[in-house]
């Protein structure tokens, strides 16, 4: 078994930034990412070579081990010295990421840590739905991809393809991969980052059987592809017949040498990545120190993940400038608070090794911060003025499924809420709220698996909970615009004029994908809104707020409001949007324009109730006039299945109010059907498609948009929602 390196050797390498590679493993569910990471860990001495491919060492949640899929991103530092001849050793920081779309928000956050990715693609299934999603995410983060075509053994032993057929498959996979780079990477990287076997940035192999090669490795080897074929062609092949392939073509050699030769070190990567992921002035002193990955500059850390353990909150981040040390005072930009780092460490899989100093270009684990959330920016306490937060990671998921949680014993209610609050810190894609009408504890997530895993995590942390059947998250909106609505307060001293409009799709998409609060100062935000939305110049000038459900508040009144009144109105606005008139669901995609507001003769004790009554009446009138509608979340569902099941599969969508977007029958072994499927029907649809295809269909659901519930179904759904909430009478 290879010798595990001492921490001192890894710390020495951390100072040699040109010898660091921060990379991730990404790809579709079950394409072999975690199996590949096991083989890399065995090379570093963290895992017995006999267990590599089976141990799932980076899947250290029990639930991950049980299900055989990765749910959280995990990382580890590897010392690699067998790479290039006559070269110093390399420090490779490896991040393994989830492949299931319910957890793709965790992929987005993990990508902020790395400069390159190895995209793992199943040779049989080729580049499919989640492969495309993660490649797009990586390129949007300025992360360079290389390609590993996995499960090559299956082409020989299961599909029994000829050499020519295998070659055609390779060409098709590489062409699909390069098409995505051409489509999603910015110039000049959409040309420079394309892959080819001749360039050495494509590897082929079997992660399960622990062998892989690049073209260069194959050319230097005594074995050729026909020898690999012979080992799998035997009628009764066993582990022994192909075991020597891992000796001739050790998988860690192919993958890690591809990483070292073709993925950038932090110094080179930050030269082009900082401008892409940070909205500040690239020519400022702070901008320059990050672009140059300067270990002597002010400390700047972008945090991608926060976990709760017995020591408190553990934050994982990438150091873009300066050096991180123990007992150091820092400033949290988003929270606007000073704090002190207590301890720092490097990740070694399930363990953390305490260290004294970690320089720029590395990944750090920070202990002791109390007011911390994923996506926070840490800055040296002496360099606050110039700094702006890192651009918000664009999560590709949004909570669309909700369930009611109840503790087994009422005495555990507060403990359950505390555990849920911890989960919210760790996972920004979860939402928790208490229904004011009936006291339900509602946990919302991106899919049934997301909620199931979260509930199991609560049980593991000490509170048994019962979970209701998951249901879709509905919202309420309006179809048209209202006229100008005028109201007067109960004491007859305050007046209000406002108008409601349905927000257009371009503006909705912007606020869904961007955390506008990170764009500072306001003059910069105005320019961005002008370019990226359909808001008018007057609306942008008077923009107040957009909430998490894409409702916008604009104030165009002549009266300049004091902060107290402005904050009171924002608080009222927040409460009103939580409880729509149709069935108590949240309002969404509504633009509220206040054209006039007069506040007279109201003391501060009564101002909230007076303004609340006035705003409630005006918004209710406006919604009624603009025609209320019920909105539901829609999945973009991609189904892969054998060609012979297409006919039966295309008859099912109509039964579940789904619309077929496209049918692709060009692939040799499978067809691909794309649907727009209501989330409320997704569980029963999954059962039906599984049954109709004898379990041979594979599908993934990704949030698409909120859309209006069909009129012929809306009354029944509204009645059911009102009944569940106890507001049916």
């Amino acid at each position: 078994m290879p010798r595990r390196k001492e921490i001192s050797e890894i710390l020495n390498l951390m100072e040699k930034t040109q010898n660091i590679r921060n990379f991730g493993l990404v790809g579709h569910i079950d394409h072999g990412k975690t199996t590949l990471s096991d083989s890399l860990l065995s090379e570093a001495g963290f895992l017995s070579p006999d267990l590599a491919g089976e141990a799932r060492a980076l899947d250290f949640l029990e639930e991950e081990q049980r299900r055989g899929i990765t749910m959280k991103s995990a990382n580890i530092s590897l010392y690699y010295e067998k790479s290039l001849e006559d070269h110093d050793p390399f420090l490779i920081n490896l991040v393994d990421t989830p492949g299931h779309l319910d957890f793709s928000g965790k992929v987005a956050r993990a990508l902020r840590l790395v400069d390159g990715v190895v995209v793992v693609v199943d040779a049989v299934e080729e580049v499919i739905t989640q492969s495309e999603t993660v490649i797009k995410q990586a390129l949007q983060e300025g992360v360079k991809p290389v390609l590993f075509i996995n499960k090559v053994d299956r082409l020989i032993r299961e599909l029994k393809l000829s050499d020519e057929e295998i070659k055609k498959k390779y060409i098709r996979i590489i062409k699909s991969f390069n098409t995505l780079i051409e489509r999603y990477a910015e110039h000049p990287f959409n040309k420079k980052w394309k892959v080819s076997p001749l360039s050495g940035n494509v590897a082929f192999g079997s992660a399960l059987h622990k062998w892989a090669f690049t073209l260069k490795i194959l050319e230097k080897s005594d074995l050729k592809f026909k020898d690999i074929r012979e080992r799998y062609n035997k009628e009764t092949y066993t582990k022994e017949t192909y075991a020597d392939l891992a000796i001739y073509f050790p998988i860690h050699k192919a993958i890690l040498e591809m990483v070292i030769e073709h993925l950038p070190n932090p110094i080179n990567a930050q030269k082009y990545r900082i401008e892409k992921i940070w909205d500040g002035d690239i020519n400022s002193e702070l901008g320059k120190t990050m672009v140059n990955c300067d270990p002597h500059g002010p400390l700047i850390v972008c945090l991608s993940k926060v976990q709760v353990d017995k020591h408190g909150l553990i934050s994982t981040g990438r150091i873009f400038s300066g050096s991180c040390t123990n007992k150091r005072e820092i400033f949290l930009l988003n929270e606007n608070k000073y704090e002190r780092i207590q301890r720092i460490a490097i990740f070694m899989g399930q363990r953390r090794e305490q260290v004294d100093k970690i320089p720029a270009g590395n990944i750090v684990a920070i202990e002791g911060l109390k007011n911390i959330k994923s996506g926070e920016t840490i800055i040296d306490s002496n360099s606050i003025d110039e700094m702006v937060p890192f651009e918000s990671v664009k999560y590709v998921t949004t909570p669309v499924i909700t369930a009611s949680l109840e503790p087994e014993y009422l005495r555990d209610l507060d403990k359950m809420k505390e555990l849920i609050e911890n989960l919210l810190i760790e996972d920004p894609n979860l939402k928790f709220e208490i229904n004011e009408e009936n006291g339900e504890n509602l946990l919302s997530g991106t899919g049934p698996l997301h909620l199931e895993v979260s509930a199991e995590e609560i049980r593991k942390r000490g509170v048994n909970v019962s979970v209701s059947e998951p249901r879709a998250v509905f919202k309420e909106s309006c179809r048209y615009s209202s006229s100008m609505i005028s109201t007067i307060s109960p004491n007859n001293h305050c007046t209000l004029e406002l108008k409601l409009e349905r927000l257009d799709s371009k503006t909705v998409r912007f606020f869904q994908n961007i955390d506008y609060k990170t764009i500072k100062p306001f003059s910069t935000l105005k320019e961005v809104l002008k370019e990226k939305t359909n808001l008018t110049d007057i609306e942008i000038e008077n923009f107040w707020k957009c909430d998490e459900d894409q409702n916008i508040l604009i104030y165009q009144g002549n009266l300049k409001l004091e902060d107290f009144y402005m904050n009171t109105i924002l608080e009222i606005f927040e409460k009103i949007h939580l409880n729509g008139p149709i069935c108590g669901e949240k309002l969404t995609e509504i633009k509220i324009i206040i054209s006039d507001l007069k506040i007279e003769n109201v003391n501060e004790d009564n101002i909230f109730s007076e303004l609340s009554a006035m705003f409630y009446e005006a918004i209710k009138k406006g919604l009624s006039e603009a025609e209320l509608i019920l909105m539901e979340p829609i999945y973009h569902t991609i189904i892969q299945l054998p060609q012979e099941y297409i006919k039966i599969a295309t008859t099912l969508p109509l039964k579940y109010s789904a619309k077929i977007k496209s049918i692709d029958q060009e692939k040799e072994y499978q067809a691909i059907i794309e649907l727009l499927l209501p989330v409320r029907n997704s569980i029963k649809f999954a059962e039906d498609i599984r049954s109709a295809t004898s379990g041979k269909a594979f599908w993934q659901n990704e949030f698409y948009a909120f859309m209006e519930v069909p009129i012929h179904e809306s009354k029944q759904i509204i009645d059911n929602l009102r009944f569940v909430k106890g507001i049916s009478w």
Side-chain angles (χ1 to χ4, degrees):
M1 184 170 176
R3 181 174 71 89
R4 182 183 296 183
K5 292 298 169 186
E6 297 295 330
I7 292 297
S8 59
E9 294 175 280
I10 288 179
L11 290 177
N12 286 336
L13 272 181
M14 283 183 169
E15 303 285 345
K16 300 177 180 178
T17 317
Q18 70 276 10
N19 284 13
I20 294 172
R21 299 292 185 273
N22 297 313
F23 88 101
L25 298 174
V26 298
H28 191 90
I29 184 173
D30 281 341
H31 276 204
K33 300 178 304 301
T34 304
T35 306
L36 173 57
S37 70
D38 284 353
S39 294
L40 301 182
L41 292 183
S42 76
E43 166 59 17
F46 288 99
L47 187 65
S48 163
D50 296 334
L51 292 176
E54 300 167 15
R56 304 185 67 85
L58 286 187
D59 282 358
F60 47 83
L61 284 179
E62 281 178 33
E63 196 69 8
E64 293 181 318
Q65 296 268 3
R66 184 172 70 81
R67 292 177 181 272
I69 62 172
T70 307
M71 298 169 190
K72 292 190 175 182
S73 57
N75 42 285
I76 193 166
S77 296
L78 306 173
Y79 179 103
Y80 188 60
E81 59 188 359
K82 299 178 185 175
S83 50
L84 306 174
E85 293 82 358
D86 304 319
H87 202 293
D88 290 341
F90 285 83
L91 175 63
I92 297 176
N93 294 314
L94 163 65
V95 177
D96 187 21
T97 62
H100 197 287
L101 269 169
D102 275 12
F103 305 100
S104 58
K106 294 181 173 70
V107 179
R109 296 197 298 278
L111 287 170
R112 189 55 56 93
L113 300 177
V114 300
D115 301 314
V117 286
V118 174
V119 181
V120 182
V121 173
D122 185 321
V124 177
E125 294 184 348
E126 302 187 14
V127 177
I128 47 178
T129 165
Q130 182 70 346
S131 308
E132 179 168 346
T133 303
V134 295
I135 293 166
K136 178 182 176 182
Q137 284 177 294
L139 294 169
Q140 287 174 338
E141 286 283 320
V143 173
K144 182 180 181 181
V146 292
L147 176 61
F148 173 49
I149 299 176
N150 190 24
K151 305 189 184 183
V152 171
D153 56 299
R154 291 183 62 199
L155 303 182
I156 303 167
R157 59 190 176 88
E158 290 180 27
L159 301 184
K160 303 192 184 307
L161 301 185
S162 67
D163 284 0
E164 189 59 33
E165 288 171 321
I166 290 174
K167 184 180 176 183
K168 283 181 181 175
K169 234 182 190 309
Y170 289 164
I171 291 169
R172 201 160 53 233
I173 291 169
I174 293 166
K175 184 180 178 182
S176 298
F177 190 81
N178 284 335
T179 299
L180 295 175
I181 292 174
E182 177 85 39
R183 185 182 303 160
Y184 296 121
E186 290 182 356
H187 180 77
F189 304 117
N190 59 345
K191 304 292 183 191
K192 288 171 67 174
W193 286 356
K194 286 186 177 180
V195 301
S196 80
L198 285 172
S199 300
N201 46 17
V202 181
F204 310 84
S206 168
L208 186 62
H209 297 166
K210 294 173 274 190
W211 61 266
F213 61 82
T214 58
L215 212 55
K216 185 170 79 172
I217 290 172
L218 188 64
E219 286 169 353
K220 288 182 178 179
S221 173
D222 294 334
L223 253 62
K224 301 303 173 191
F225 191 74
K226 65 179 178 60
D227 300 306
I228 297 173
R229 175 181 285 283
E230 282 175 10
R231 282 155 174 75
Y232 288 110
N233 267 342
K234 295 177 182 177
E235 288 184 15
T236 56
Y237 74 88
T238 62
K239 190 174 182 179
E240 286 68 35
T241 61
Y242 59 76
D244 65 335
L245 292 177
I247 298 168
Y248 282 102
F249 303 117
I251 193 167
H252 67 265
K253 180 177 172 65
I255 299 300
L256 294 183
E257 291 194 5
M258 185 167 66
V259 165
I260 287 162
E261 291 183 39
H262 294 281
L263 296 183
N265 63 50
I267 297 173
N268 291 337
Q270 287 184 206
K271 282 180 171 37
Y272 55 83
R273 283 197 74 207
I274 296 301
E275 192 170 12
K276 194 160 182 63
I277 62 178
W278 185 63
D279 286 332
D281 180 2
I282 214 76
N283 295 312
S284 67
E285 286 306 309
L286 290 181
K288 288 175 184 174
T289 191
M290 285 194 285
V291 166
N292 295 323
C293 193
D294 183 359
H296 306 295
L299 176 65
I300 301 172
V301 183
C302 176
L303 295 181
S304 74
K305 183 170 70 170
V306 178
Q307 295 168 278
V308 180
D309 80 353
K310 60 185 178 183
H311 301 294
L313 298 179
I314 311 299
S315 314
T316 306
R318 165 75 175 264
I319 306 173
F320 284 103
S321 166
S323 294
C324 200
T325 53
N326 294 319
K327 308 296 182 186
R328 179 172 188 161
E329 186 182 60
I330 50 89
F331 188 75
L332 306 177
L333 274 184
N334 293 342
E335 290 294 320
N336 201 31
K337 288 180 180 174
Y338 289 95
E339 288 224 31
R340 187 172 293 277
I341 294 171
Q342 296 302 324
R343 290 173 299 279
I344 61 171
I346 57 174
F347 280 105
M348 308 303 283
Q350 300 176 47
R351 299 180 299 108
R352 291 190 307 276
E353 294 283 354
Q354 306 285 336
V355 296
D356 295 324
K357 178 183 174 184
I358 302 177
N362 287 285
I363 295 170
V364 61
I366 298 175
E367 298 178 22
L369 302 179
K370 293 176 182 148
N371 299 287
I372 197 79
K373 289 180 182 173
S374 296
E376 181 62 89
T377 299
I378 288 177
I379 178 75
D380 190 293
S381 58
N382 298 318
S383 306
I384 299 166
D385 293 340
E386 284 185 43
M387 190 61 184
V388 299
F390 281 87
E391 181 188 0
S392 174
V393 172
K394 304 171 190 64
Y395 299 118
V396 293
T397 49
T398 195
V400 294
I401 289 274
T402 191
S404 173
L405 267 62
E406 293 294 333
E408 185 177 1
Y409 302 107
L410 194 58
R411 64 174 181 265
D412 289 332
L413 183 61
D414 289 341
K415 176 68 173 172
M416 181 190 80
K417 290 177 182 176
E418 180 188 330
L419 292 176
I420 291 173
E421 288 301 321
N422 288 340
L423 284 180
L424 297 182
I425 291 171
E426 297 177 16
D427 186 354
N429 284 319
L430 280 175
K431 299 287 182 214
F432 177 67
E433 59 191 326
I434 299 170
N435 187 312
E436 292 182 2
E437 299 290 329
N438 58 17
E440 272 189 311
N441 300 295
L442 297 172
L443 189 66
S444 303
T446 57
L449 179 60
H450 191 200
L451 290 185
E452 192 181 330
V453 168
S454 300
E456 186 59 36
E457 190 64 22
I458 293 168
R459 293 186 189 107
K460 277 171 54 185
R461 296 183 187 188
V463 175
N464 283 329
V465 291
S466 60
V467 185
S468 69
E469 281 293 313
R471 66 172 180 85
V473 173
F474 291 89
K475 294 185 182 181
E476 301 178 28
S477 192
C478 59
R479 182 175 281 117
Y480 307 113
S481 299
S482 73
S483 63
M484 192 64 70
I485 307 291
S486 300
T487 57
I488 190 165
S489 65
N491 70 358
N492 295 321
H493 291 303
C494 304
T495 59
L496 168 68
E497 288 186 4
L498 60 73
K499 179 183 179 183
L500 271 58
E501 295 178 9
R502 177 70 180 274
L503 205 57
D504 66 278
S505 58
K506 180 181 178 181
T507 308
V508 168
R509 277 196 304 274
F510 170 79
F511 285 107
Q512 273 179 339
N513 295 329
I514 300 292
D515 182 359
Y516 76 93
K517 293 172 188 170
T518 65
I519 304 174
K520 297 172 183 176
F522 185 61
S523 57
T524 304
L525 176 60
K526 286 197 290 187
E527 290 301 314
V528 174
L529 292 177
K530 191 170 184 177
E531 180 188 351
K532 303 285 188 182
T533 74
N534 285 333
L535 297 177
T536 66
D537 289 347
I538 294 173
E539 289 171 344
I540 291 170
E541 194 64 41
N542 297 289
F543 173 82
W544 263 15
K545 180 182 181 178
C546 179
D547 65 26
E548 62 182 14
D549 294 294
Q550 289 79 56
N551 298 297
I552 287 181
L553 186 60
I554 292 164
Y555 177 73
Q556 296 178 358
N558 294 322
L559 176 68
K560 182 167 173 52
L561 295 176
E562 297 173 19
D563 286 349
F564 170 74
Y565 291 129
M566 182 177 173
N567 291 332
T568 301
I569 292 167
L570 288 173
E571 187 181 345
I572 292 167
F573 175 62
E574 181 63 26
K575 280 186 173 294
I576 290 174
H577 113 270
L578 293 175
N579 197 1
I582 303 178
C583 48
E585 296 292 339
K586 292 178 182 177
L587 297 176
T588 188
E589 300 180 16
I590 295 172
K591 186 198 300 180
I592 300 175
I593 303 168
I594 302 170
S595 63
D596 190 43
L597 176 63
K598 290 186 175 65
I599 302 173
E600 296 174 353
N601 300 326
V602 184
N603 63 45
E604 287 193 3
D605 292 338
N606 296 331
I607 191 69
F608 187 86
S609 58
E610 292 291 329
L611 292 184
S612 288
M614 194 164 61
F615 272 93
Y616 266 102
E617 184 185 349
I619 290 174
K620 188 175 179 181
K621 274 186 188 176
L623 287 171
S624 178
E625 197 177 286
E627 193 175 326
L628 281 158
I629 56 172
L630 187 66
M631 307 277 283
E632 66 174 330
I634 303 294
Y635 278 142
H636 176 209
T637 300
I638 301 178
I639 306 165
Q640 297 163 247
L641 72 173
Q643 298 270 9
E644 61 265 28
Y645 290 106
I646 280 188
K647 187 174 180 182
I648 193 164
T650 52
T651 61
L652 287 176
L654 192 61
K655 180 180 173 184
Y656 294 102
S657 303
K659 295 177 182 175
I660 296 176
K661 279 187 75 180
S662 66
I663 300 174
D664 180 1
Q665 295 178 259
E666 291 183 11
K667 293 202 173 180
E668 205 167 333
Y669 302 103
Q670 60 190 5
I672 296 177
I673 302 173
E674 294 192 40
L675 305 174
L676 294 181
L677 173 68
V679 170
R680 62 188 157 94
N681 293 331
S682 59
I683 295 174
K684 288 186 178 176
F685 176 81
E687 291 169 358
D688 257 17
I689 192 91
R690 189 183 292 116
S691 171
T693 61
S694 304
K696 292 181 181 175
F698 178 83
W699 63 94
Q700 289 259 31
N701 297 319
E702 183 178 7
F703 173 68
Y704 178 73
F706 273 88
M707 299 174 73
E708 184 180 351
V709 175
I711 292 172
H712 68 279
E713 294 181 281
S714 61
K715 185 180 184 307
Q716 181 67 52
I717 292 171
I718 289 168
D719 288 346
N720 289 343
L721 287 169
R722 290 176 66 85
F723 180 77
V724 166
K725 295 184 176 191
I727 53 175
S728 54
W729 308 109

